[in-house]
Amino acid sequence: MMFNLPVFWQFVVLMVAGWINQKQQNVIEYLKEENRVLREQLDGKRIRFTDKQRRRLAEKAKRLKRSVLNELTPIVTPDTLLRWYRRLIAEKYDYSCRRNKVGRPRIGQYIRQLVIAFAKKNRTWGYGKIQGALKNLGYEISTSSIANILDEAGIEPASERGGALSWSQFLKSHWDSLAAADFFTVEVYHRFQLIRYSVLFVIDLSIRKIEVLGIAPDPDGQWMKQIARNLVDGIDGFLIGKRYLIHDRDPLFTYDFREILKSAGVDCLRLPTKSPNLNAYAERFVRSIKYECLNNFIFFSEKQLRHVICEYVEYYNRERNHQGIGNELIEPV
């Protein structure tokens, strides 16, 4: 039996076209049903469209006939879609893009950033003080404009901003006078047993500089008293020029330790219990030294432990870039 090839191929094309048409019809049916469900969910509520959404719908609707739009059950009526399209055509020829802008020009972004910075860093400054500070820099701006800028940025007026001092605000206002201390432990394998060594360090929060104060297997009160004397030594004490030392409630931070610091003008700020996030910079250093250094070693002596920690601290202070201070070095060599 011989087939007529042209007829055969026509039959194949018709079958494929019918299959594609059926698939498209199924997609259309699904979208129509989805539109019905969405309209039922809205339950008569009016949908708010942006100008961009109206343009997109109008451009797509123009390619279809009114009868097709009616069959699709769109979320807006065909008359609305066509009205949007006519408006789109009208906007093309009304030369609105060439018209001069009315009203005052918008305040520059740099001045807006200054206003927000003044308000955030000075909790008690009202609109008048911010206006005066800007005038000193050569910028004339009204108090109502300052109020609008702060309102857009979600910043309360001075009467509401000047409430109780938060912990983060305290840190920022005393940054240069703050230091923090903390312990971390390291296991040393010595004579067929593990000995836990405690490492006490202090961090200058303003520049992130670290100093290891001591390493001991069994620190006690006398050891901590000597550490306190070293911290406030008049020649090379780490806390020279500092006003506050932040530490947790570890029993090793004894009353005698705090009194020695207090006699030198350094107040100890004890953190609430179970609040490591309030000493986050010290905790971050512990994570860094363990992840980058200590977890890669097996220690067999105190001498080895001291050498490795001292080498890392030297690297940390002189060669390691810190994102918290603009990706800079603490003490460039």
Side-chain angles (χ1 to χ4, degrees):
M1 181 177 180
M2 298 296 293
F3 287 99
N4 188 337
L5 289 179
V7 175
F8 172 75
W9 286 114
Q10 289 178 9
F11 177 72
V12 172
V13 170
L14 289 174
M15 287 184 60
V16 173
W19 177 78
I20 294 175
N21 183 62
Q22 182 61 40
K23 187 175 181 180
Q24 291 177 338
Q25 189 63 34
N26 292 338
V27 172
I28 293 172
E29 290 295 331
Y30 171 77
L31 293 176
K32 288 168 62 177
E33 188 60 33
E34 188 177 55
N35 277 352
R36 292 192 188 97
V37 172
L38 290 175
R39 295 186 70 172
E40 291 172 0
Q41 292 289 331
L42 292 172
D43 193 21
K45 295 179 181 179
R46 184 177 179 183
I47 305 175
R48 300 291 182 179
F49 295 97
T50 63
D51 289 339
K52 290 183 179 180
Q53 292 171 339
R54 291 191 184 99
R55 291 192 189 97
R56 283 157 41 197
L57 288 173
E59 290 175 358
K60 299 294 184 183
K62 182 57 180 176
R63 303 174 188 175
L64 303 175
K65 296 180 180 180
R66 183 186 295 271
S67 59
V68 177
L69 288 173
N70 288 326
E71 292 178 1
L72 289 178
T73 317
I75 54 178
V76 292
T77 64
D79 289 334
T80 302
L81 290 171
L82 296 176
R83 186 178 73 251
W84 288 349
Y85 186 75
R86 290 193 296 270
R87 186 188 303 172
L88 183 64
I89 296 173
E91 290 176 355
K92 180 179 179 181
Y93 298 103
D94 65 0
Y95 299 101
S96 58
C97 58
R98 301 185 186 179
R99 295 174 185 170
N100 295 327
K101 300 293 184 180
V102 296
R104 292 181 301 173
R106 185 177 175 84
I107 296 173
Q109 185 63 25
Y110 177 69
I111 299 178
R112 299 174 70 86
Q113 290 175 352
L114 280 178
V115 171
I116 294 171
F118 282 142
K120 287 184 175 180
K121 294 182 179 180
N122 303 278
R123 298 182 306 113
T124 59
W125 280 21
Y127 303 142
K129 281 196 173 183
I130 296 175
Q131 183 188 41
L134 291 171
K135 186 176 181 180
N136 295 338
L137 298 176
Y139 300 110
E140 294 286 346
I141 181 174
S142 66
T143 54
S144 59
S145 296
I146 294 174
N148 292 333
I149 292 172
L150 296 182
D151 184 60
E152 291 176 6
I155 300 175
E156 302 85 356
S159 58
E160 300 179 23
R161 282 185 282 118
L165 186 67
S166 68
W167 186 260
S168 61
Q169 291 169 340
F170 172 82
L171 291 178
K172 291 177 181 178
S173 61
H174 295 81
W175 208 237
D176 293 333
S177 61
L178 281 173
D182 202 358
F183 283 95
F184 65 90
T185 60
V186 184
E187 298 290 339
V188 176
Y189 188 76
H190 182 65
R191 295 182 179 179
F192 305 104
Q193 63 177 336
L194 289 173
I195 301 176
R196 174 174 292 181
Y197 279 78
S198 296
V199 182
L200 175 61
F201 69 94
V202 64
I203 178 172
D204 186 333
L205 296 183
S206 61
I207 62 173
R208 308 295 197 271
K209 182 180 179 181
I210 291 290
E211 182 173 308
V212 173
L213 302 176
I215 302 173
D218 295 304
D220 54 18
Q222 292 299 321
W223 186 79
M224 291 296 294
K225 288 171 64 175
Q226 184 58 48
I227 293 293
R229 297 188 190 100
N230 296 341
L231 280 171
V232 296
D233 183 80
I235 299 176
D236 58 355
F238 190 88
L239 295 183
I240 294 178
K242 300 300 180 184
R243 183 69 180 83
Y244 301 98
L245 177 69
I246 300 173
H247 60 77
D248 57 21
R249 294 179 178 268
D250 192 304
L252 288 173
F253 293 109
T254 60
Y255 173 80
D256 292 334
F257 173 87
R258 298 194 300 273
E259 284 298 309
I260 292 174
L261 297 187
K262 187 175 181 179
S263 65
V266 180
D267 291 333
C268 291
L269 299 177
R270 303 175 70 190
L271 299 177
T273 56
K274 298 181 180 180
S275 57
N277 55 314
L278 296 185
N279 202 4
Y281 296 99
E283 296 288 345
R284 186 64 179 85
F285 170 74
V286 174
R287 177 184 173 185
S288 296
I289 191 174
K290 287 192 173 184
Y291 178 76
E292 298 176 6
C293 178
L294 300 179
N295 290 348
N296 301 313
F297 286 89
I298 298 176
F299 296 100
F300 295 98
S301 67
E302 180 181 339
K303 181 179 179 180
Q304 180 193 9
L305 175 64
R306 289 180 177 274
H307 174 75
V308 170
I309 291 178
C310 289
E311 286 292 318
Y312 180 82
V313 170
E314 183 75 10
Y315 157 76
Y316 187 92
N317 288 336
R318 294 179 177 270
E319 301 177 22
R320 187 180 187 272
N321 296 85
H322 298 269
Q323 296 179 2
I325 55 174
N327 210 26
E328 299 289 341
L329 301 175
I330 296 175
E331 296 179 337
V333 178

